[in-house]
């Protein structure tokens, strides 16, 4: 909605609003918060605000909501955690959805969520600059449309950053990559193993995505080799008839984290065997302690480990260099490959456009304060979805932000009502 047009022709008594009404249509005054990002985090923030009676405006660089899920995920992807830990505020998943919804089901849920709360993001708006105007006390958010000359500036008292931890692909620099001579693709471009049938594929990265891509490649008779450079915790997706995540959360209510970690590793050893034998070395710190300290998520096995044990998936240590259609590893081994897939994850892009470094770190684009403090900055700046705790953490952020803004919004509404209700001063003749 073009709020500057809305203001035209009305009797405006607030000095700032009066000034805004005279500006070009490319500058738009937004009465409520501006939310950057129409993924699950942005939708959750907007819904929580709406429940409090606070309007907002969502800006999205792509032409759809949940662009990461719709455009940059592989076909076989499912939620790795049970649906009750992934639902957004005020709307559970449909009861007929499985415990671990598919990619298509999760996207359908987000579309229903948007429609249920009447959310209407503005698409194809790439934020190029956002900074706080200390003179007027407002955030100015500049965007570019589909045509680069279509610049718009949105002005608001509140800015909510919901672009998340996975805004941009991480592409590592590996010696000799330019000499490979074959396809090198990031998992953001990978859809299924069908296009790599009967090929030798080097998968770089041993997180959940790398493990699952290897499994998918096996299903299409490809020959995957997994690069495991760092130590990694591999846990069963379920233990003792319950999800490993749900069981962990329940145990943490009663026992310290170190004991819960010991229990998880004991059961994992019983169910999966000694992963060290297959080149998957466990970190010294337990899975939950490591998650809290570094944000590194343990791998929840959905069948990949069995393929590693059977030899259908090879495991290699770090890469020393890439050569023409081959890779040389740090242990001296060399092997030929047709394709390289980079399962190297994503990163925040906030430092590229937000002109504020006190709240967000320039190094990694994440809030400097760790969970649960990293949701609120200064001057009306907020963050949602940067907790490294998935959708559950994003929902917690969204609720806190709405609760924080609600009294400020009501106070601003009351002031505007009193201003608009007061008689205009008589003009002297």
């Amino acid at each position: 909605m073009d709020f500057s047009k809305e203001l035209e022709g009305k009797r405006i008594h607030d000095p700032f609003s009066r000034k805004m009404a005279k500006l070009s249509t490319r500058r738009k005054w937004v009465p409520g918060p501006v939310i950057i990002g129409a993924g699950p985090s942005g939708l959750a923030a907007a819904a929580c605000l709406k429940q409090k009676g606070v309007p907002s405006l969502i800006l999205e660089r792509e032409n759809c909501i949940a662009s990461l899920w719709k455009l940059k995920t592989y076909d076989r992807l499912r939620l790795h955690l049970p649906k009750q830990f992934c639902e957004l505020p005020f709307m559970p998943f449909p009861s007929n959805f499985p415990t671990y919804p598919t990619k298509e089901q999760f996207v359908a849920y987000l579309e229903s969520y948007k429609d249920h709360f009447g959310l209407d993001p503005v698409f194809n708006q790439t934020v190029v600059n956002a900074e706080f105007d200390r003179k007027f006390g407002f955030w100015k958010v500049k965007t570019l449309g589909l045509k680069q000359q279509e610049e718009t500036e949105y002005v608001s008292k509140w800015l909510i950053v919901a672009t998340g931890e996975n805004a941009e692909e991480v592409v590592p620099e590996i010696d000799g990559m330019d000499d490979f001579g074959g396809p090198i693709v990031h998992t953001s471009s990978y859809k299924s193993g069908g296009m790599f049938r009967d090929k030798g594929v080097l998968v770089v990265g041993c997180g959940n995505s790398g493990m699952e891509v290897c499994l998918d490649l096996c299903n299409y008779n490809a020959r995957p080799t997994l690069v495991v450079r760092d130590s990694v915790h591999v846990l069963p997706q379920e233990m003792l008839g319950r999800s490993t995540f749900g069981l962990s959360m329940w145990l943490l209510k009663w026992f310290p984290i170190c004991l819960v970690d010991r229990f998880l590793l004991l059961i994992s050893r019983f169910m999966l065997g000694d992963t060290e034998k297959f080149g998957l070395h466990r970190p010294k710190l337990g899975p939950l302690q490591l998650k809290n300290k570094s944000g590194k998520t343990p791998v929840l096995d959905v069948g990949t480990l069995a393929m590693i044990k059977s030899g259908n998936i090879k495991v290699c240590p770090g890469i020393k260099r890439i050569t023409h259609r081959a890779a040389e590893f740090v242990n001296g081994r060399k092997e030929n490959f047709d394709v390289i897939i980079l399962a190297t994850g994503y990163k925040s892009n906030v430092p590229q456009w937000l002109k504020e470094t006190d709240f967000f770190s320039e190094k990694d684009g994440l809030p400097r304060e760790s969970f649960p403090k990293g949701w609120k900055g200064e001057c009306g700046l907020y963050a949602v979805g940067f907790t490294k705790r998935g959708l559950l953490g994003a929902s917690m952020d969204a609720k806190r932000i709405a609760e924080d803004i609600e009294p400020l919004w009501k106070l601003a509404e009351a002031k505007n009502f009193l201003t608009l209700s007061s008689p205009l001063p008589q003009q002297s003749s």
Side-chain angles (χ1 to χ4, degrees):
M1 182 183 293
D2 188 338
F3 293 100
S4 60
K5 285 185 177 180
E6 244 194 18
L7 293 170
E8 290 176 2
K10 294 186 178 181
R11 302 181 76 184
I12 301 168
H13 307 281
D14 175 66
F16 184 82
S17 299
R18 191 160 56 240
K19 180 180 179 181
M20 290 301 301
K22 298 178 182 178
L23 295 174
S24 79
T25 56
R26 287 299 176 193
R27 177 172 290 178
K28 301 185 179 184
W29 164 242
V30 182
V34 168
I35 301 172
I36 302 178
S41 297
L43 297 177
C48 288
L49 287 166
K50 195 158 191 177
Q51 289 292 94
K52 300 288 187 181
V54 183
S56 62
L57 180 69
I58 306 175
L59 302 177
E60 168 57 46
R61 64 179 175 179
E62 301 291 350
N63 62 357
C64 60
I65 66 166
S67 60
L68 179 66
W69 281 85
K70 284 187 176 182
L71 308 177
K72 296 184 177 183
T73 51
Y74 41 90
D75 295 341
R76 65 161 287 134
L77 179 64
R78 286 177 173 266
L79 292 180
H80 291 113
L81 303 182
K83 60 184 180 181
Q84 65 265 31
F85 297 109
C86 300
E87 62 189 27
L88 300 186
F90 312 115
M91 183 174 161
F93 281 91
S95 59
N96 63 334
F97 274 25
T99 302
Y100 302 96
T102 65
K103 164 185 171 179
E104 290 76 16
Q105 288 171 327
F106 183 60
V107 169
Y109 166 75
L110 294 178
E111 289 285 359
S112 297
Y113 191 86
K114 173 182 72 72
D115 295 339
H116 177 77
F117 290 100
L119 308 179
D120 188 21
V122 180
F123 296 115
N124 300 310
Q125 293 291 301
T126 300
V127 176
V128 294
N129 187 79
E131 59 184 320
F132 187 69
D133 187 326
R134 297 190 178 277
K135 181 178 179 181
F136 290 104
F138 290 90
W139 284 93
K140 295 180 178 179
V141 181
K142 290 184 180 180
T143 67
L144 288 179
L146 288 175
K147 298 178 180 178
Q148 292 298 302
Q149 66 269 27
E150 292 179 353
E151 183 176 279
T152 306
E153 184 176 77
Y154 297 89
V155 182
S156 172
K157 292 178 66 175
W158 301 282
L159 176 63
I160 301 174
V161 180
T163 48
E165 303 154 354
N166 302 317
E168 301 287 348
E169 296 88 348
V170 173
V171 179
E173 293 184 5
I174 304 174
D175 186 27
M177 282 181 69
D178 294 339
D179 302 325
F180 181 64
I184 300 178
V185 299
H186 191 273
T187 47
S188 60
S189 301
Y190 177 93
K191 295 304 175 185
S192 82
M195 59 192 301
F196 304 113
R197 192 183 299 272
D198 299 321
K199 294 187 181 297
V201 184
L202 181 64
V203 179
V204 183
C206 60
N208 280 296
S209 294
M211 290 282 198
E212 199 160 349
V213 164
C214 282
L215 181 61
D216 191 54
L217 288 166
C218 285
N219 293 335
Y220 288 92
N221 295 319
R223 303 183 302 279
T225 296
L226 179 66
V227 176
V228 182
R229 185 183 64 178
D230 301 318
S231 57
V232 59
H233 280 298
V234 181
L235 306 177
Q237 190 175 39
E238 295 191 343
M239 292 181 176
L240 307 178
R242 299 181 61 175
S243 76
T244 299
F245 181 80
L247 180 61
S248 301
M249 295 301 100
W250 181 80
L251 288 172
L252 286 173
K253 294 179 181 179
W254 306 98
F255 303 103
I257 190 170
C258 59
L259 288 182
V260 177
D261 271 340
R262 288 183 186 178
F263 175 81
L264 294 178
L265 292 175
L266 179 65
I267 299 298
S268 294
R269 177 69 178 253
F270 176 76
M271 295 181 65
L272 303 178
D274 184 5
T275 61
E276 303 269 344
K277 293 181 180 179
F278 308 100
L280 303 170
H281 303 286
R282 291 194 182 277
K284 293 181 179 180
L285 210 58
L288 299 183
Q289 290 174 294
L290 185 64
K291 174 67 175 174
N292 277 350
K293 183 177 180 180
S294 67
K296 188 175 182 180
T297 302
V299 171
L300 296 176
D301 181 55
V302 292
T304 306
L305 194 59
M307 288 295 184
I308 292 174
K309 291 178 179 179
S310 66
N312 289 304
I313 299 173
K314 297 179 182 178
V315 174
C316 287
I319 301 171
K320 184 176 181 180
R321 66 172 63 89
I322 300 292
T323 59
H324 182 69
R325 297 289 177 135
E328 182 180 342
F329 302 97
V330 293
N331 61 358
R333 176 182 167 187
K334 188 173 182 180
E335 189 171 337
N336 295 329
F337 296 99
D338 301 301
V339 182
I340 296 176
I341 296 177
L342 302 175
T344 45
Y346 298 84
K347 63 181 180 181
S348 165
N349 69 355
V350 173
Q352 298 176 21
W353 50 267
L354 182 63
K355 307 306 175 186
E356 193 281 343
T357 58
D358 291 336
F359 183 43
F360 282 92
S361 168
E362 292 178 290
K363 181 180 179 181
D364 58 12
L366 303 178
R368 295 182 185 276
E369 292 281 352
S370 59
F371 179 85
K373 297 181 180 179
W375 61 275
K376 181 180 180 181
E378 301 291 334
C379 305
L381 178 63
Y382 298 89
V384 55
F386 292 87
T387 63
K388 295 186 179 179
R389 282 164 172 76
L391 295 166
L392 186 61
S395 295
M396 294 170 67
D397 285 342
K399 290 177 181 178
R400 289 190 182 108
I401 291 169
E403 289 170 359
D404 196 68
I405 292 179
E406 180 191 17
L408 302 174
W409 169 258
K410 288 182 176 178
L411 181 62
E413 269 195 320
K415 286 183 177 179
N416 288 336
F417 175 78
L418 291 174
T419 303
L420 293 171
S421 300
S422 61
L424 280 171
Q426 301 254 338
Q427 289 189 349
S428 57
S429 55

